[in-house]
Amino acid sequence: MLVAGMCNQKGGVGKTTTTVNLARAAYLRGMRTLIVDLDAQANTTTTVLGTAPAPDVETLADVLSARSDATAKDVIVSTGWVGVDVVPSGGDALADVGGELVGMGPGREHRLREALDEVGAGYELVLIDCPPSLDLLTINGLTAADRLVIVTAASQFSLDGIARLLATIEQVRRYSNSGLAVAGIIANAVESQTRRQKHWLAELKAAAPAPLWEPTIPKATWIGEALEAGVGLDEWGTPSATVIGEIYDGYLSRLLSAGEGVRR
């Protein structure tokens, strides 16, 4: 089982889009895949399930809370893609658990990792959609992950966010997950013909702590429209969507290659 985190402390850079489309690529390969929605905004959950869980349904918030005995197995929900399941976010309740973690004692950063270890060998791939912050929820995601994919946009603000994220990754390596490695960087919404975008892509490549995966994802409104509709790019029915779907499949190959030798 390879556990991969999609991360960036900046919001709106496409972590949900990346998580869902990597899951779709894995589905098309017949890989048993688990999505973990660690973001209180719950966008990944609503995308793959079509709706947010009912208030009385146990979620990831219950798994991470010290006030609940729920396990990851208890809250896993099947999606419409056979073989792809999700641990739903929990929304505001998950945000509250983020605050609860602050007051917990030793081991608080390992709660997600321990929960996923209990899932066992039922999945080949686990994709964690990390929140746009560097709080204890994100620390749990980094501690649980074997490999990270930094999801970004080609802009100064995103580059600054990556620098802060790298400092956090180094702390996680030192104290809670020495084997954590950055597999690569995905750049979204790229307008490759503009001078500004070319400049920031060059800056990103020069400062990148891992390979920038190419081709990059272009700026296109229909990518978000497909996501909102809950359908795979292969189902969208246009040649452009098919090409982007193939790019995500290539990203999946790179991720799996970076995770070779990881076994849980």
Side-chain angles (χ1 to χ4, degrees):
M1 180 175 74
L2 172 65
V3 181
M6 309 296 122
C7 60
N8 192 323
Q9 73 163 30
K10 187 177 185 301
V13 295
K15 292 190 302 296
T16 294
T17 301
T18 300
T19 302
V20 172
N21 282 302
L22 286 176
R24 181 67 184 182
Y27 158 77
L28 292 173
R29 295 190 186 195
M31 296 180 64
R32 287 279 295 162
T33 302
L34 179 65
I35 300 169
V36 178
D37 191 355
L38 193 56
D39 189 344
Q41 296 179 70
N43 292 332
T44 297
T45 297
T46 54
T47 296
V48 297
L49 296 183
T51 184
D56 59 341
V57 172
E58 290 183 318
T59 65
L60 181 59
D62 298 283
V63 175
L64 297 182
S65 175
R67 295 171 292 188
S68 170
D69 294 327
T71 68
K73 288 182 179 180
D74 294 331
V75 307
I76 288 173
V77 181
S78 299
T79 73
W81 301 339
V82 177
V84 178
D85 299 331
V86 62
V87 176
S89 162
D92 290 342
L94 182 59
D96 291 341
V97 170
E100 180 187 339
L101 287 168
V102 175
M104 289 186 189
R108 60 188 180 179
E109 68 274 18
H110 290 274
R111 293 187 72 84
L112 180 58
R113 185 180 186 93
E114 292 169 352
L116 293 180
D117 285 345
E118 291 177 0
V119 173
Y123 297 95
E124 298 169 77
L125 178 65
V126 177
L127 299 171
I128 304 174
D129 185 5
C130 294
S133 62
L134 294 179
D135 60 11
L136 278 167
L137 288 175
T138 297
I139 298 299
N140 263 263
L142 301 184
T143 300
D146 304 305
R147 298 292 180 266
L148 295 180
V149 176
I150 297 175
V151 183
T152 189
S155 70
Q156 180 65 56
F157 295 120
S158 294
L159 292 175
D160 291 344
I162 288 175
R164 290 190 289 273
L165 175 61
L166 290 176
T168 301
I169 290 171
E170 285 304 316
Q171 292 298 306
V172 170
R173 284 177 177 151
R174 181 175 180 182
Y175 294 110
S176 60
N177 185 4
S178 61
L180 182 63
V182 179
I185 299 174
I186 292 175
N188 280 308
V190 174
E191 299 175 272
S192 60
Q193 299 307 310
T194 69
R195 180 179 299 178
R196 174 178 173 273
Q197 291 281 272
K198 290 179 179 179
H199 168 75
W200 290 123
L201 280 175
E203 289 285 318
L204 180 59
K205 289 180 181 179
L212 173 66
W213 289 348
E214 296 183 284
T216 56
I217 301 298
K219 185 176 183 179
T221 57
W222 52 262
I223 297 177
E225 291 168 357
L227 189 74
E228 292 175 3
V231 301
L233 294 172
D234 57 290
E235 301 173 301
W236 195 241
T238 67
S240 296
T242 298
V243 169
I244 302 302
E246 291 171 351
I247 291 175
Y248 279 108
D249 183 72
Y251 290 168
L252 178 60
S253 292
R254 290 181 175 94
L255 176 59
L256 296 175
S257 177
E260 286 182 358
V262 174
R263 292 289 183 272
R264 291 202 193 182

